[in-house]
Amino acid sequence: MRRFWLGLLLVVIVGAVYSWLNAPEWLEGWNEEHQEMVDRQRQAGISAGEETDQQGCVSMALQRVEHCNDSEYRCTVGGGTFFKACWQHSQPSAAVCNDIPPYHEKPTEDDKAWVKDRCIEQGFLAKGCRLIMRQQQQLCSASTGS
């Protein structure tokens, strides 16, 4: 039995050393792939923004995160990147910032409740919805100087 545990320990140590030695290559590949995804989402957002207004950007971004089939991380980051680029290149919408509370760097309990309620009201369950709502809150505050 002792040999089994020593063998298992040796396998774990060899695996850890192997992983540690290959980590820089893996990380470099992941960073490259991540940056390509972000660039694609930004370009898609720019293109969409040139064709719509700010409310259209909100709607498209919410649809993208809700129907994304990738990891939650990639869906959220990609959706947020798309939304910001779209917003910056879109036409203003008259009422897009109505009833949006001021943005706080550290969300208050009221901010959290507003975001959650807003996503539920619109029928979006993805966590990316919360990011989009927070970004909308931030962008609206920046445009009004709040």
Side-chain angles (χ1 to χ4, degrees):
M1 189 65 161
R2 187 174 180 195
R3 281 185 169 202
F4 169 77
W5 290 111
L6 287 175
L8 183 60
L9 179 62
L10 180 62
V11 168
V12 169
I13 291 171
V14 168
V17 169
Y18 179 79
S19 296
W20 179 72
L21 290 173
N22 287 312
E25 292 171 9
W26 173 86
L27 184 59
E28 183 179 320
W30 185 88
N31 283 337
E32 219 172 273
E33 182 182 317
H34 176 75
Q35 189 59 50
E36 289 171 4
M37 182 271 299
V38 167
D39 291 342
R40 280 191 309 273
Q41 294 297 328
R42 183 177 297 111
Q43 190 55 52
I46 291 169
S47 296
E50 291 171 348
E51 307 270 328
T52 192
D53 61 8
Q54 293 167 332
Q55 186 58 54
C57 291
V58 173
S59 299
M60 283 189 274
L62 289 170
Q63 289 296 323
R64 288 173 84 89
V65 296
E66 186 69 18
H67 299 293
C68 182
N69 293 322
D70 216 332
S71 71
E72 186 175 302
Y73 171 80
R74 288 178 64 94
C75 292
T76 302
V77 170
T81 301
F82 171 89
F83 177 59
K84 188 173 182 183
C86 184
W87 182 281
Q88 291 170 339
H89 291 86
S90 65
Q91 295 297 313
S93 296
V96 74
C97 292
N98 290 359
D99 302 322
I100 306 273
Y103 177 81
H104 301 97
E105 192 67 38
K106 184 175 184 201
T108 65
E109 289 305 312
D110 287 342
D111 290 339
K112 292 175 187 177
W114 176 81
V115 165
K116 180 182 171 195
D117 292 345
R118 187 84 181 239
C119 289
I120 290 170
E121 285 169 10
Q122 296 180 56
F124 292 107
L125 303 175
K127 289 185 180 177
C129 174
R130 294 179 186 204
L131 171 75
I132 301 302
M133 291 296 100
R134 284 284 290 155
Q135 280 187 315
Q136 181 181 10
Q137 193 179 21
Q138 183 180 32
L139 292 165
C140 286
S141 287
S143 68
T144 63
S146 300

PDB file of all heavy atoms in Angstrom, residues 26-42 70-71 73-78 81:
ATOM      1  N   TRP A  26       1.349  27.750 -22.757  1.00  0.00           N
ATOM      2  CA  TRP A  26      -0.111  27.709 -22.677  1.00  0.00           C
ATOM      3  C   TRP A  26      -0.664  29.105 -22.485  1.00  0.00           C
ATOM      4  O   TRP A  26      -1.607  29.501 -23.158  1.00  0.00           O
ATOM      5  CB  TRP A  26      -0.538  26.807 -21.521  1.00  0.00           C
ATOM      6  CG  TRP A  26      -2.011  26.868 -21.289  1.00  0.00           C
ATOM      7  CD1 TRP A  26      -2.961  26.130 -21.919  1.00  0.00           C
ATOM      8  CD2 TRP A  26      -2.715  27.739 -20.395  1.00  0.00           C
ATOM      9  NE1 TRP A  26      -4.209  26.479 -21.469  1.00  0.00           N
ATOM     10  CE2 TRP A  26      -4.092  27.473 -20.535  1.00  0.00           C
ATOM     11  CE3 TRP A  26      -2.315  28.716 -19.492  1.00  0.00           C
ATOM     12  CZ2 TRP A  26      -5.062  28.134 -19.801  1.00  0.00           C
ATOM     13  CZ3 TRP A  26      -3.283  29.379 -18.765  1.00  0.00           C
ATOM     14  CH2 TRP A  26      -4.637  29.090 -18.925  1.00  0.00           C
ATOM     15  N   LEU A  27      -0.075  29.862 -21.577  1.00  0.00           N
ATOM     16  CA  LEU A  27      -0.561  31.204 -21.288  1.00  0.00           C
ATOM     17  C   LEU A  27      -0.419  32.108 -22.508  1.00  0.00           C
ATOM     18  O   LEU A  27      -1.323  32.882 -22.821  1.00  0.00           O
ATOM     19  CB  LEU A  27       0.187  31.797 -20.091  1.00  0.00           C
ATOM     20  CG  LEU A  27      -0.277  33.166 -19.620  1.00  0.00           C
ATOM     21  CD1 LEU A  27      -1.750  33.123 -19.221  1.00  0.00           C
ATOM     22  CD2 LEU A  27       0.584  33.639 -18.461  1.00  0.00           C
ATOM     23  N   GLU A  28       0.677  31.989 -23.204  1.00  0.00           N
ATOM     24  CA  GLU A  28       0.879  32.801 -24.407  1.00  0.00           C
ATOM     25  C   GLU A  28      -0.190  32.489 -25.456  1.00  0.00           C
ATOM     26  O   GLU A  28      -0.773  33.388 -26.062  1.00  0.00           O
ATOM     27  CB  GLU A  28       2.271  32.542 -24.982  1.00  0.00           C
ATOM     28  CG  GLU A  28       2.597  33.397 -26.176  1.00  0.00           C
ATOM     29  CD  GLU A  28       4.008  33.121 -26.697  1.00  0.00           C
ATOM     30  OE1 GLU A  28       4.920  32.934 -25.875  1.00  0.00           O
ATOM     31  OE2 GLU A  28       4.166  33.088 -27.934  1.00  0.00           O
ATOM     32  N   GLY A  29      -0.481  31.211 -25.642  1.00  0.00           N
ATOM     33  CA  GLY A  29      -1.517  30.816 -26.602  1.00  0.00           C
ATOM     34  C   GLY A  29      -2.891  31.306 -26.179  1.00  0.00           C
ATOM     35  O   GLY A  29      -3.670  31.796 -27.002  1.00  0.00           O
ATOM     36  N   TRP A  30      -3.182  31.201 -24.890  1.00  0.00           N
ATOM     37  CA  TRP A  30      -4.477  31.659 -24.387  1.00  0.00           C
ATOM     38  C   TRP A  30      -4.614  33.167 -24.560  1.00  0.00           C
ATOM     39  O   TRP A  30      -5.652  33.648 -24.995  1.00  0.00           O
ATOM     40  CB  TRP A  30      -4.640  31.280 -22.908  1.00  0.00           C
ATOM     41  CG  TRP A  30      -5.992  31.624 -22.384  1.00  0.00           C
ATOM     42  CD1 TRP A  30      -7.098  30.839 -22.427  1.00  0.00           C
ATOM     43  CD2 TRP A  30      -6.396  32.858 -21.775  1.00  0.00           C
ATOM     44  NE1 TRP A  30      -8.168  31.507 -21.869  1.00  0.00           N
ATOM     45  CE2 TRP A  30      -7.767  32.741 -21.455  1.00  0.00           C
ATOM     46  CE3 TRP A  30      -5.740  34.041 -21.456  1.00  0.00           C
ATOM     47  CZ2 TRP A  30      -8.483  33.751 -20.841  1.00  0.00           C
ATOM     48  CZ3 TRP A  30      -6.455  35.055 -20.845  1.00  0.00           C
ATOM     49  CH2 TRP A  30      -7.810  34.913 -20.538  1.00  0.00           C
ATOM     50  N   ASN A  31      -3.560  33.908 -24.223  1.00  0.00           N
ATOM     51  CA  ASN A  31      -3.599  35.368 -24.366  1.00  0.00           C
ATOM     52  C   ASN A  31      -3.820  35.775 -25.822  1.00  0.00           C
ATOM     53  O   ASN A  31      -4.579  36.698 -26.105  1.00  0.00           O
ATOM     54  CB  ASN A  31      -2.316  36.010 -23.839  1.00  0.00           C
ATOM     55  CG  ASN A  31      -2.277  36.077 -22.332  1.00  0.00           C
ATOM     56  OD1 ASN A  31      -3.302  36.046 -21.669  1.00  0.00           O
ATOM     57  ND2 ASN A  31      -1.075  36.154 -21.783  1.00  0.00           N
ATOM     58  N   GLU A  32      -3.166  35.082 -26.728  1.00  0.00           N
ATOM     59  CA  GLU A  32      -3.315  35.367 -28.155  1.00  0.00           C
ATOM     60  C   GLU A  32      -4.760  35.113 -28.612  1.00  0.00           C
ATOM     61  O   GLU A  32      -5.367  35.945 -29.289  1.00  0.00           O
ATOM     62  CB  GLU A  32      -2.352  34.471 -28.946  1.00  0.00           C
ATOM     63  CG  GLU A  32      -1.701  35.133 -30.118  1.00  0.00           C
ATOM     64  CD  GLU A  32      -0.634  34.208 -30.697  1.00  0.00           C
ATOM     65  OE1 GLU A  32       0.504  34.242 -30.225  1.00  0.00           O
ATOM     66  OE2 GLU A  32      -0.994  33.464 -31.643  1.00  0.00           O
ATOM     67  N   GLU A  33      -5.289  33.972 -28.239  1.00  0.00           N
ATOM     68  CA  GLU A  33      -6.660  33.611 -28.614  1.00  0.00           C
ATOM     69  C   GLU A  33      -7.661  34.598 -28.001  1.00  0.00           C
ATOM     70  O   GLU A  33      -8.610  35.028 -28.657  1.00  0.00           O
ATOM     71  CB  GLU A  33      -6.963  32.195 -28.130  1.00  0.00           C
ATOM     72  CG  GLU A  33      -8.333  31.700 -28.497  1.00  0.00           C
ATOM     73  CD  GLU A  33      -8.596  30.310 -27.940  1.00  0.00           C
ATOM     74  OE1 GLU A  33      -7.700  29.456 -28.010  1.00  0.00           O
ATOM     75  OE2 GLU A  33      -9.702  30.096 -27.424  1.00  0.00           O
ATOM     76  N   HIS A  34      -7.432  34.968 -26.751  1.00  0.00           N
ATOM     77  CA  HIS A  34      -8.308  35.915 -26.066  1.00  0.00           C
ATOM     78  C   HIS A  34      -8.291  37.269 -26.770  1.00  0.00           C
ATOM     79  O   HIS A  34      -9.346  37.866 -27.007  1.00  0.00           O
ATOM     80  CB  HIS A  34      -7.869  36.067 -24.605  1.00  0.00           C
ATOM     81  CG  HIS A  34      -8.645  37.096 -23.848  1.00  0.00           C
ATOM     82  ND1 HIS A  34      -9.919  36.882 -23.411  1.00  0.00           N
ATOM     83  CD2 HIS A  34      -8.322  38.356 -23.479  1.00  0.00           C
ATOM     84  CE1 HIS A  34     -10.354  37.959 -22.786  1.00  0.00           C
ATOM     85  NE2 HIS A  34      -9.406  38.867 -22.816  1.00  0.00           N
ATOM     86  N   GLN A  35      -7.119  37.745 -27.123  1.00  0.00           N
ATOM     87  CA  GLN A  35      -7.013  39.047 -27.795  1.00  0.00           C
ATOM     88  C   GLN A  35      -7.698  39.026 -29.155  1.00  0.00           C
ATOM     89  O   GLN A  35      -8.351  39.993 -29.537  1.00  0.00           O
ATOM     90  CB  GLN A  35      -5.546  39.469 -27.942  1.00  0.00           C
ATOM     91  CG  GLN A  35      -5.369  40.883 -28.437  1.00  0.00           C
ATOM     92  CD  GLN A  35      -6.036  41.901 -27.507  1.00  0.00           C
ATOM     93  OE1 GLN A  35      -5.842  41.885 -26.309  1.00  0.00           O
ATOM     94  NE2 GLN A  35      -6.833  42.793 -28.079  1.00  0.00           N
ATOM     95  N   GLU A  36      -7.583  37.916 -29.873  1.00  0.00           N
ATOM     96  CA  GLU A  36      -8.271  37.795 -31.167  1.00  0.00           C
ATOM     97  C   GLU A  36      -9.783  37.851 -30.982  1.00  0.00           C
ATOM     98  O   GLU A  36     -10.489  38.506 -31.757  1.00  0.00           O
ATOM     99  CB  GLU A  36      -7.867  36.489 -31.858  1.00  0.00           C
ATOM    100  CG  GLU A  36      -6.446  36.495 -32.378  1.00  0.00           C
ATOM    101  CD  GLU A  36      -5.981  35.122 -32.864  1.00  0.00           C
ATOM    102  OE1 GLU A  36      -6.802  34.168 -32.875  1.00  0.00           O
ATOM    103  OE2 GLU A  36      -4.797  35.009 -33.219  1.00  0.00           O
ATOM    104  N   MET A  37     -10.291  37.179 -29.949  1.00  0.00           N
ATOM    105  CA  MET A  37     -11.728  37.199 -29.664  1.00  0.00           C
ATOM    106  C   MET A  37     -12.182  38.622 -29.335  1.00  0.00           C
ATOM    107  O   MET A  37     -13.194  39.091 -29.842  1.00  0.00           O
ATOM    108  CB  MET A  37     -12.049  36.249 -28.498  1.00  0.00           C
ATOM    109  CG  MET A  37     -13.526  36.162 -28.138  1.00  0.00           C
ATOM    110  SD  MET A  37     -14.150  37.352 -26.903  1.00  0.00           S
ATOM    111  CE  MET A  37     -13.212  36.968 -25.458  1.00  0.00           C
ATOM    112  N   VAL A  38     -11.428  39.314 -28.497  1.00  0.00           N
ATOM    113  CA  VAL A  38     -11.763  40.688 -28.119  1.00  0.00           C
ATOM    114  C   VAL A  38     -11.752  41.587 -29.353  1.00  0.00           C
ATOM    115  O   VAL A  38     -12.668  42.396 -29.543  1.00  0.00           O
ATOM    116  CB  VAL A  38     -10.802  41.209 -27.021  1.00  0.00           C
ATOM    117  CG1 VAL A  38     -10.914  42.711 -26.836  1.00  0.00           C
ATOM    118  CG2 VAL A  38     -11.063  40.486 -25.710  1.00  0.00           C
ATOM    119  N   ASP A  39     -10.756  41.435 -30.207  1.00  0.00           N
ATOM    120  CA  ASP A  39     -10.676  42.248 -31.423  1.00  0.00           C
ATOM    121  C   ASP A  39     -11.869  41.985 -32.350  1.00  0.00           C
ATOM    122  O   ASP A  39     -12.426  42.924 -32.927  1.00  0.00           O
ATOM    123  CB  ASP A  39      -9.363  41.990 -32.172  1.00  0.00           C
ATOM    124  CG  ASP A  39      -8.142  42.527 -31.425  1.00  0.00           C
ATOM    125  OD1 ASP A  39      -8.308  43.374 -30.517  1.00  0.00           O
ATOM    126  OD2 ASP A  39      -7.023  42.084 -31.748  1.00  0.00           O
ATOM    127  N   ARG A  40     -12.263  40.711 -32.491  1.00  0.00           N
ATOM    128  CA  ARG A  40     -13.423  40.369 -33.331  1.00  0.00           C
ATOM    129  C   ARG A  40     -14.697  40.999 -32.769  1.00  0.00           C
ATOM    130  O   ARG A  40     -15.507  41.555 -33.514  1.00  0.00           O
ATOM    131  CB  ARG A  40     -13.605  38.852 -33.427  1.00  0.00           C
ATOM    132  CG  ARG A  40     -12.705  38.160 -34.398  1.00  0.00           C
ATOM    133  CD  ARG A  40     -13.121  36.712 -34.647  1.00  0.00           C
ATOM    134  NE  ARG A  40     -13.314  35.940 -33.429  1.00  0.00           N
ATOM    135  CZ  ARG A  40     -12.367  35.271 -32.774  1.00  0.00           C
ATOM    136  NH1 ARG A  40     -11.114  35.293 -33.229  1.00  0.00           N
ATOM    137  NH2 ARG A  40     -12.638  34.583 -31.685  1.00  0.00           N
ATOM    138  N   GLN A  41     -14.873  40.918 -31.455  1.00  0.00           N
ATOM    139  CA  GLN A  41     -16.066  41.485 -30.828  1.00  0.00           C
ATOM    140  C   GLN A  41     -16.081  43.012 -30.949  1.00  0.00           C
ATOM    141  O   GLN A  41     -17.130  43.611 -31.192  1.00  0.00           O
ATOM    142  CB  GLN A  41     -16.150  41.075 -29.348  1.00  0.00           C
ATOM    143  CG  GLN A  41     -16.371  39.604 -29.135  1.00  0.00           C
ATOM    144  CD  GLN A  41     -17.691  39.127 -29.704  1.00  0.00           C
ATOM    145  OE1 GLN A  41     -18.682  39.848 -29.735  1.00  0.00           O
ATOM    146  NE2 GLN A  41     -17.711  37.891 -30.163  1.00  0.00           N
ATOM    147  N   ARG A  42     -14.920  43.632 -30.797  1.00  0.00           N
ATOM    148  CA  ARG A  42     -14.841  45.091 -30.927  1.00  0.00           C
ATOM    149  C   ARG A  42     -15.204  45.510 -32.352  1.00  0.00           C
ATOM    150  O   ARG A  42     -15.985  46.439 -32.557  1.00  0.00           O
ATOM    151  CB  ARG A  42     -13.437  45.594 -30.570  1.00  0.00           C
ATOM    152  CG  ARG A  42     -13.313  47.118 -30.611  1.00  0.00           C
ATOM    153  CD  ARG A  42     -11.941  47.641 -30.190  1.00  0.00           C
ATOM    154  NE  ARG A  42     -11.670  47.305 -28.798  1.00  0.00           N
ATOM    155  CZ  ARG A  42     -10.750  46.413 -28.398  1.00  0.00           C
ATOM    156  NH1 ARG A  42     -10.009  45.777 -29.269  1.00  0.00           N
ATOM    157  NH2 ARG A  42     -10.572  46.171 -27.123  1.00  0.00           N
ATOM    158  N   ASP A  70     -20.533  29.961 -25.669  1.00  0.00           N
ATOM    159  CA  ASP A  70     -19.158  29.802 -25.218  1.00  0.00           C
ATOM    160  C   ASP A  70     -19.125  29.793 -23.691  1.00  0.00           C
ATOM    161  O   ASP A  70     -20.165  29.783 -23.042  1.00  0.00           O
ATOM    162  CB  ASP A  70     -18.317  30.969 -25.770  1.00  0.00           C
ATOM    163  CG  ASP A  70     -16.914  30.535 -26.147  1.00  0.00           C
ATOM    164  OD1 ASP A  70     -16.406  29.571 -25.549  1.00  0.00           O
ATOM    165  OD2 ASP A  70     -16.333  31.178 -27.031  1.00  0.00           O
ATOM    166  N   SER A  71     -17.944  29.851 -23.103  1.00  0.00           N
ATOM    167  CA  SER A  71     -17.848  29.893 -21.639  1.00  0.00           C
ATOM    168  C   SER A  71     -18.448  31.207 -21.137  1.00  0.00           C
ATOM    169  O   SER A  71     -18.511  32.199 -21.874  1.00  0.00           O
ATOM    170  CB  SER A  71     -16.386  29.791 -21.197  1.00  0.00           C
ATOM    171  OG  SER A  71     -15.684  30.987 -21.522  1.00  0.00           O
ATOM    172  N   TYR A  73     -17.232  33.296 -19.124  1.00  0.00           N
ATOM    173  CA  TYR A  73     -16.203  34.333 -19.175  1.00  0.00           C
ATOM    174  C   TYR A  73     -16.124  34.949 -20.576  1.00  0.00           C
ATOM    175  O   TYR A  73     -16.174  36.156 -20.736  1.00  0.00           O
ATOM    176  CB  TYR A  73     -14.838  33.752 -18.770  1.00  0.00           C
ATOM    177  CG  TYR A  73     -13.713  34.714 -19.005  1.00  0.00           C
ATOM    178  CD1 TYR A  73     -13.450  35.736 -18.104  1.00  0.00           C
ATOM    179  CD2 TYR A  73     -12.908  34.628 -20.153  1.00  0.00           C
ATOM    180  CE1 TYR A  73     -12.424  36.639 -18.320  1.00  0.00           C
ATOM    181  CE2 TYR A  73     -11.896  35.519 -20.377  1.00  0.00           C
ATOM    182  CZ  TYR A  73     -11.648  36.523 -19.461  1.00  0.00           C
ATOM    183  OH  TYR A  73     -10.638  37.411 -19.693  1.00  0.00           O
ATOM    184  N   ARG A  74     -16.002  34.106 -21.584  1.00  0.00           N
ATOM    185  CA  ARG A  74     -15.872  34.608 -22.949  1.00  0.00           C
ATOM    186  C   ARG A  74     -17.136  35.334 -23.404  1.00  0.00           C
ATOM    187  O   ARG A  74     -17.067  36.349 -24.086  1.00  0.00           O
ATOM    188  CB  ARG A  74     -15.526  33.472 -23.913  1.00  0.00           C
ATOM    189  CG  ARG A  74     -14.099  32.973 -23.749  1.00  0.00           C
ATOM    190  CD  ARG A  74     -13.798  31.812 -24.673  1.00  0.00           C
ATOM    191  NE  ARG A  74     -13.855  32.183 -26.063  1.00  0.00           N
ATOM    192  CZ  ARG A  74     -12.821  32.569 -26.794  1.00  0.00           C
ATOM    193  NH1 ARG A  74     -11.640  32.651 -26.248  1.00  0.00           N
ATOM    194  NH2 ARG A  74     -12.972  32.865 -28.070  1.00  0.00           N
ATOM    195  N   CYS A  75     -18.289  34.816 -23.019  1.00  0.00           N
ATOM    196  CA  CYS A  75     -19.550  35.472 -23.392  1.00  0.00           C
ATOM    197  C   CYS A  75     -19.653  36.850 -22.754  1.00  0.00           C
ATOM    198  O   CYS A  75     -20.058  37.819 -23.406  1.00  0.00           O
ATOM    199  CB  CYS A  75     -20.737  34.609 -22.967  1.00  0.00           C
ATOM    200  SG  CYS A  75     -20.885  33.067 -23.896  1.00  0.00           S
ATOM    201  N   THR A  76     -19.285  36.951 -21.496  1.00  0.00           N
ATOM    202  CA  THR A  76     -19.385  38.214 -20.780  1.00  0.00           C
ATOM    203  C   THR A  76     -18.370  39.220 -21.303  1.00  0.00           C
ATOM    204  O   THR A  76     -18.722  40.368 -21.601  1.00  0.00           O
ATOM    205  CB  THR A  76     -19.203  37.979 -19.268  1.00  0.00           C
ATOM    206  OG1 THR A  76     -20.200  37.056 -18.829  1.00  0.00           O
ATOM    207  CG2 THR A  76     -19.343  39.265 -18.480  1.00  0.00           C
ATOM    208  N   VAL A  77     -17.122  38.812 -21.441  1.00  0.00           N
ATOM    209  CA  VAL A  77     -16.092  39.723 -21.947  1.00  0.00           C
ATOM    210  C   VAL A  77     -16.398  40.133 -23.382  1.00  0.00           C
ATOM    211  O   VAL A  77     -16.331  41.307 -23.739  1.00  0.00           O
ATOM    212  CB  VAL A  77     -14.687  39.085 -21.843  1.00  0.00           C
ATOM    213  CG1 VAL A  77     -13.640  39.909 -22.586  1.00  0.00           C
ATOM    214  CG2 VAL A  77     -14.285  38.931 -20.380  1.00  0.00           C
ATOM    215  N   GLY A  78     -16.758  39.162 -24.204  1.00  0.00           N
ATOM    216  CA  GLY A  78     -17.087  39.459 -25.595  1.00  0.00           C
ATOM    217  C   GLY A  78     -18.300  40.372 -25.711  1.00  0.00           C
ATOM    218  O   GLY A  78     -18.304  41.336 -26.488  1.00  0.00           O
ATOM    219  N   THR A  81     -17.344  43.924 -24.597  1.00  0.00           N
ATOM    220  CA  THR A  81     -16.503  44.573 -25.602  1.00  0.00           C
ATOM    221  C   THR A  81     -17.350  45.023 -26.788  1.00  0.00           C
ATOM    222  O   THR A  81     -17.221  46.153 -27.280  1.00  0.00           O
ATOM    223  CB  THR A  81     -15.388  43.617 -26.071  1.00  0.00           C
ATOM    224  OG1 THR A  81     -14.603  43.239 -24.936  1.00  0.00           O
ATOM    225  CG2 THR A  81     -14.497  44.256 -27.117  1.00  0.00           C
TER     226      THR A  81
END
